[in-house]
Amino acid sequence: MTTETREEASAMVTYELKHVCRQTGARAGVVHTPHGSFETPAFMPVGTQATVKGLAPEEIKATGAGIILSNTYHLWMRPGHDIIERAGGLHKFMNWDRAILTDSGGFQVFSFSDRRHITEEGVNFKSHIDGSRHTLTPELSMDIQHALGSDIIMAFDECTPYPADRAYVTESLERTTRWLERCVKRHDESPSGQKQSLFGIIQGGMYADLRQRSARDILQFDLPGYAIGGLSVGEPAELMYEMLEAVVPLMPANKPRYLMGVGSPDYLVEGAIRGIDMFDCVLPTRLGRNGTVMTSKGRMIIRNLQFADDFTPVDDKCDCYVCKNYTRSYIRHLIKANEMFGLRLTSYHNVYFLMHLMELIRQAIYEDRLASFRDEFFAEYGYEI
Amino acid sequence: MTTETREEASAMVTYELKHVCRQTGARAGVVHTPHGSFETPAFMPVGTQATVKGLAPEEIKATGAGIILSNTYHLWMRPGHDIIERAGGLHKFMNWDRAILTDSGGFQVFSFSDRRHITEEGVNFKSHIDGSRHTLTPELSMDIQHALGSDIIMAFDECTPYPADRAYVTESLERTTRWLERCVKRHDESPSGQKQSLFGIIQGGMYADLRQRSARDILQFDLPGYAIGGLSVGEPAELMYEMLEAVVPLMPANKPRYLMGVGSPDYLVEGAIRGIDMFDCVLPTRLGRNGTVMTSKGRMIIRNLQFADDFTPVDDKCDCYVCKNYTRSYIRHLIKANEMFGLRLTSYHNVYFLMHLMELIRQAIYEDRLASFRDEFFAEYGYEI
């Protein structure tokens, strides 16, 4: 199949550029998918095990989310992609009719650093559930994601650890490119290639020139979208911004740009300023389950005693379901009493908080004042890093 | 205050008899409260710690519940009734605008059999949270329930254990009557007595004549409603039915009759047949959290392997949110993966199942066929005991 016919067949996901912020160069647009469109820059809540922890699909929609991310590794291990395929695909299985992006499973299996072995073929590892050994390859990652039926599927890559020396990063990014070639081949051969869009992932560690080399290699495949992986892995924020500034300008303007695993407010704003369209992170639900809420004045540990008789909402600037109906006092009580509903409320509020932040970012882009917005927002929120 | 003026002032809760089943003598009616009316026979979901475990108030309403029960002991210990009073009362604290009934706290403190001491004054016990010692008295139980602001408040009584000898049961029921006198006095002295309705509780163990004696003693107080306590505490079902048959006929027809702590389908149906109007039980949410669902064909342990690839709803006769949108396969996956949303779905379905059963019971009463309904329902559901 030639590049041209492949693009025609698989480019079910398209990007529509709407506006470039004259103050920052950040861009606002719309991504179209077979399961609806969503405005960018967009945050994708994470539904690791076919559920955004604690929340119902209707609630995720109510936060404004048009796309969620789910994890190939987890669904492969449990319940098994065959079961989800027989259920009619992941959308139907989990009752979510908007867009879904799945990762490749690479991030999880690479993170089992003491029980995995990398070869050219793929990664051999031990399951976190029962210790059984499996090998994940580019082809298998495609097969699993095809069975899941997600709208956007991610190439199988190595998320290079930090720190890593130049020699290892070079070796790793070259392998990631070879793996992408195998992913593309498998994807093109599958009937699912007609309905699902494969995104490539740019690696290159913390070396600007290697990032640019990886970008040139990956962009040659002419895919419907591209991600930047291997950032927000422990490096200083400035280093991440430097990498983004090295690589984003090389990325095509007519395709979505996805910065993987990033979701703190400062990274979302700074990423948007540097031209990123899509983000994902477990942060809002993970913080929520730990009894921490995000507010316009920064994070707040709501289980603290000081909130026991605080009858104000979590964030008086927020108009979400939680802030309209519940007090800090009630939410603290639920969390102290180990009540599930407390974690629902904190998780919902936090996802809404980030979805609302993205809306403010898009608005600021359309009004050419994203840098001003950043300064105003963080003057109140405080930088976290 | 005379009996007459007391009734006039505090009888905010009233019972309206609508129909008596010609096949069984069961009755259908409506209970009116300051927070709305609900049809009887009614099941009250239990919100022990100011939340029906796992469910949002909107969801509880969607199951059809017009009243929930909350636990005085738990709210007294945590967050403290003073905090809930300052929040504007329990309705506002937990965002529930329909009726609330609170128990007296007696059941919990008596159940701490190894760390409590009963005197005429009340019960001295050790907190389950921090081991600190407290004494719950009839007066304090009233004070706490007044602070909570529930629509129906329960007298402080002793839930006599089973088995118990005749001498102990006699001593216990006499004390319960003396405690009721103190509850009524405290309630009448409080401004809250104007807005909240105090129900008395009939005890008497498993002795029909003692049940009748307790009923005569308690009914003298001319309260807006009465409960039967100390049943479903481990005795055979037949013994419970015998006690109901001994005592219900003595209870006034113009007041609601509440059978405490009862909620399995067979007890609900058999209780309704014997003239009961109100029930409560933690069963549906407790079963739900254990991964068990109630269906028209009986209980089902949904975490079992056989449901891994079962893409049918929990109960194909059920039209609840869960059965309309999710499969057994998906719910099993969530529960196996320890996902909160799984417990939300099983809890919601189970509460809905019981609320729907009550609707079927009421319909059968209106159509004079409750005994026939019982036979048809249990031919499919199976008796559990």
Side-chain angles (χ1 to χ4, degrees):
Chain A
M1 209 183 244
T2 67
T3 300
E4 213 172 342
T5 56
R6 180 173 73 244
E7 194 187 8
E8 199 181 302
S10 71
M12 302 294 293
V13 165
T14 56
Y15 176 75
E16 189 185 346
L17 179 64
K18 291 283 198 180
H19 187 79
V20 175
C21 172
R22 283 192 287 270
Q23 194 181 45
T24 61
R27 58 196 218 149
V30 179
V31 170
H32 303 285
T33 86
H35 287 88
S37 304
F38 57 89
E39 289 192 81
T40 62
F43 177 77
M44 301 184 280
V46 176
T48 300
Q49 303 193 105
T51 169
V52 176
K53 288 191 189 302
L55 303 182
E58 295 78 9
E59 291 159 354
I60 305 162
K61 285 184 187 178
T63 69
I67 180 169
I68 59 170
L69 179 145
S70 196
N71 292 105
T72 289
Y73 166 75
H74 287 94
L75 298 178
W76 173 33
M77 292 289 118
R78 186 170 56 195
H81 54 292
D82 52 324
I83 283 183
I84 295 178
E85 185 170 33
R86 287 168 53 205
L90 184 55
H91 291 86
K92 197 171 168 197
F93 185 62
M94 68 181 289
N95 188 32
W96 174 255
D97 59 8
R98 295 188 181 174
I100 299 177
L101 179 150
T102 44
D103 66 4
S104 69
F107 183 81
Q108 280 77 27
V109 300
F110 274 102
S111 71
F112 301 152
S113 50
D114 54 338
R115 22 178 197 151
R116 52 92 171 145
H117 177 63
I118 310 173
T119 63
E120 184 62 25
E121 175 62 12
V123 183
N124 183 270
F125 65 94
K126 259 183 161 169
S127 153
H128 78 290
I129 296 174
D130 60 8
S132 57
R133 290 214 80 94
H134 304 267
T135 299
L136 188 55
T137 63
E139 289 79 12
L140 182 54
S141 173
M142 291 298 101
D143 292 349
I144 298 172
Q145 294 184 78
H146 289 151
L148 298 176
S150 36
D151 301 281
I152 299 174
I153 72 179
M154 299 304 298
F156 185 69
D157 67 330
E158 180 182 0
C159 177
T160 322
Y162 174 80
D165 64 37
R166 194 175 169 87
Y168 184 80
V169 173
T170 307
E171 184 194 325
S172 168
L173 77 86
E174 288 173 351
R175 186 168 45 226
T176 284
T177 302
R178 290 192 299 275
W179 282 354
L180 176 57
E181 196 167 355
R182 288 165 57 191
C183 287
V184 169
K185 183 165 184 293
R186 187 66 150 222
H187 185 61
D188 284 350
E189 287 165 2
S190 163
S192 298
Q194 311 295 315
K195 298 167 300 188
Q196 298 176 273
S197 296
L198 172 63
F199 279 23
I201 303 172
I202 296 163
Q203 292 287 346
M206 302 303 161
Y207 303 91
D209 62 322
L210 295 183
R211 282 274 162 194
Q212 292 177 331
R213 183 179 151 196
S214 176
R216 279 189 298 268
D217 293 349
I218 300 297
L219 295 172
Q220 282 188 345
F221 288 88
D222 194 20
L223 296 165
Y226 298 98
I228 302 168
L231 291 179
S232 191
V233 288
E235 78 281 10
E238 291 66 31
L239 201 47
M240 179 172 109
Y241 301 151
E242 198 186 308
M243 294 303 112
L244 291 180
E245 287 157 16
V247 77
V248 174
L250 304 183
M251 297 171 80
N254 62 341
K255 305 281 176 76
R257 305 161 181 166
Y258 163 30
L259 177 56
M260 303 182 80
V262 161
S264 62
D266 39 10
Y267 281 4
L268 293 173
V269 175
E270 298 290 352
I273 285 176
R274 286 160 181 83
I276 298 296
D277 305 309
M278 295 164 62
F279 304 87
D280 79 282
C281 195
V282 296
L283 186 75
T285 45
R286 181 164 292 172
L287 285 179
R289 290 198 309 288
N290 292 332
T292 296
V293 287
M294 301 162 95
T295 80
S296 51
K297 293 190 169 58
R299 291 189 194 176
M300 196 171 88
I301 301 167
I302 202 162
R303 55 184 309 139
N304 285 351
L305 181 62
Q306 70 187 104
F307 303 116
D309 60 352
D310 184 337
F311 304 116
T312 64
V314 167
D315 186 351
D316 55 17
K317 288 194 174 174
C318 180
D319 62 351
C320 83
Y321 163 76
V322 177
C323 290
K324 279 191 290 196
N325 293 297
Y326 301 93
T327 61
R328 295 171 174 185
S329 170
Y330 180 62
I331 297 171
R332 174 186 189 263
H333 161 65
L334 293 177
I335 286 173
K336 291 292 286 182
N338 294 314
E339 285 285 356
M340 217 191 299
F341 192 47
L343 307 181
R344 283 181 59 175
L345 294 178
T346 52
S347 296
Y348 182 92
H349 169 81
N350 286 347
V351 171
Y352 185 93
F353 180 83
L354 287 190
M355 296 305 300
H356 181 63
L357 172 59
M358 299 316 292
E359 200 177 310
L360 296 176
I361 289 173
R362 290 192 298 268
Q363 207 176 320
I365 292 173
Y366 282 110
E367 295 170 3
D368 301 308
R369 53 170 183 80
L370 185 55
S372 313
F373 169 77
R374 171 189 54 195
D375 297 345
E376 292 154 20
F377 182 83
F378 290 105
E380 199 175 354
Y381 187 85
Y383 264 87
E384 278 163 351
I385 48 169
Chain B
M1 212 182 243
T2 68
T3 300
E4 214 174 342
T5 55
R6 182 172 71 245
E7 195 185 9
E8 196 183 307
S10 71
M12 301 294 292
V13 165
T14 57
Y15 175 75
E16 188 185 346
L17 179 64
K18 290 282 196 180
H19 187 78
V20 175
C21 173
R22 283 191 289 268
Q23 196 181 45
T24 61
R27 58 198 218 147
V30 179
V31 170
H32 303 285
T33 86
H35 286 88
S37 303
F38 56 90
E39 289 193 80
T40 60
F43 177 76
M44 301 184 280
V46 176
T48 300
Q49 301 193 107
T51 169
V52 175
K53 288 191 190 299
L55 303 181
E58 295 77 9
E59 291 159 355
I60 306 162
K61 285 185 188 178
T63 69
I67 180 168
I68 59 171
L69 179 146
S70 197
N71 291 106
T72 290
Y73 165 75
H74 286 94
L75 298 178
W76 173 31
M77 291 291 117
R78 185 170 56 193
H81 54 292
D82 52 324
I83 283 182
I84 294 179
E85 184 170 35
R86 286 167 54 206
L90 184 55
H91 291 85
K92 195 169 169 200
F93 186 61
M94 68 181 290
N95 188 32
W96 174 257
D97 58 9
R98 295 188 181 174
I100 299 177
L101 178 150
T102 44
D103 67 3
S104 69
F107 183 81
Q108 279 77 27
V109 300
F110 274 101
S111 71
F112 301 150
S113 51
D114 55 338
R115 22 179 197 148
R116 51 94 172 141
H117 177 64
I118 310 173
T119 64
E120 185 60 28
E121 175 62 12
V123 183
N124 184 270
F125 65 95
K126 259 183 164 169
S127 153
H128 77 291
I129 296 173
D130 60 8
S132 56
R133 290 213 80 96
H134 305 267
T135 300
L136 188 55
T137 64
E139 290 78 12
L140 181 53
S141 174
M142 292 298 102
D143 292 350
I144 297 171
Q145 294 184 78
H146 290 151
L148 298 176
S150 35
D151 302 280
I152 299 174
I153 72 179
M154 299 304 298
F156 184 70
D157 67 330
E158 179 181 2
C159 177
T160 321
Y162 174 80
D165 64 37
R166 198 176 165 86
Y168 185 80
V169 173
T170 308
E171 183 192 325
S172 170
L173 79 84
E174 289 174 351
R175 185 167 46 226
T176 284
T177 302
R178 290 192 299 275
W179 282 354
L180 177 57
E181 196 168 356
R182 288 165 57 191
C183 286
V184 169
K185 182 166 185 290
R186 188 64 150 224
H187 185 61
D188 284 350
E189 288 166 1
S190 162
S192 298
Q194 312 295 315
K195 297 168 300 187
Q196 298 174 274
S197 295
L198 172 63
F199 279 24
I201 303 173
I202 297 163
Q203 291 289 348
M206 302 304 161
Y207 303 92
D209 63 321
L210 294 184
R211 282 277 163 191
Q212 293 177 330
R213 183 181 153 196
S214 176
R216 280 189 297 268
D217 293 350
I218 300 297
L219 295 171
Q220 284 188 345
F221 288 88
D222 194 21
L223 297 165
Y226 297 98
I228 302 168
L231 292 180
S232 190
V233 288
E235 77 281 9
E238 292 65 32
L239 201 47
M240 179 172 110
Y241 301 151
E242 196 187 309
M243 293 304 112
L244 291 180
E245 287 157 16
V247 78
V248 174
L250 303 182
M251 298 171 79
N254 63 340
K255 305 281 177 76
R257 304 161 181 168
Y258 161 32
L259 177 55
M260 303 182 79
V262 162
S264 61
D266 40 9
Y267 281 4
L268 293 172
V269 175
E270 298 291 352
I273 285 177
R274 287 161 181 82
I276 298 297
D277 305 309
M278 295 165 63
F279 304 88
D280 80 281
C281 196
V282 296
L283 186 74
T285 44
R286 182 165 291 172
L287 285 179
R289 290 199 309 288
N290 291 332
T292 296
V293 287
M294 301 163 97
T295 80
S296 50
K297 293 189 170 57
R299 292 187 194 178
M300 196 172 88
I301 301 168
I302 202 160
R303 55 185 307 139
N304 285 352
L305 181 61
Q306 67 186 108
F307 302 116
D309 60 353
D310 184 337
F311 303 117
T312 63
V314 167
D315 186 351
D316 55 17
K317 288 194 173 172
C318 180
D319 63 349
C320 83
Y321 164 77
V322 177
C323 290
K324 280 191 290 195
N325 292 298
Y326 300 94
T327 61
R328 294 171 175 187
S329 171
Y330 180 62
I331 296 171
R332 173 186 190 264
H333 160 65
L334 293 177
I335 287 173
K336 291 291 287 182
N338 295 315
E339 283 287 356
M340 215 192 299
F341 191 46
L343 308 180
R344 283 180 59 175
L345 294 178
T346 52
S347 297
Y348 181 92
H349 169 81
N350 286 346
V351 171
Y352 185 93
F353 180 83
L354 288 189
M355 296 306 300
H356 182 62
L357 172 60
M358 300 316 292
E359 201 177 309
L360 296 176
I361 290 173
R362 291 192 297 268
Q363 207 176 321
I365 293 172
Y366 281 110
E367 296 169 4
D368 302 308
R369 52 169 183 81
L370 186 56
S372 313
F373 170 78
R374 170 188 55 193
D375 298 344
E376 292 154 22
F377 182 84
F378 289 106
E380 199 176 356
Y381 187 85
Y383 263 86
E384 278 165 350
I385 46 169

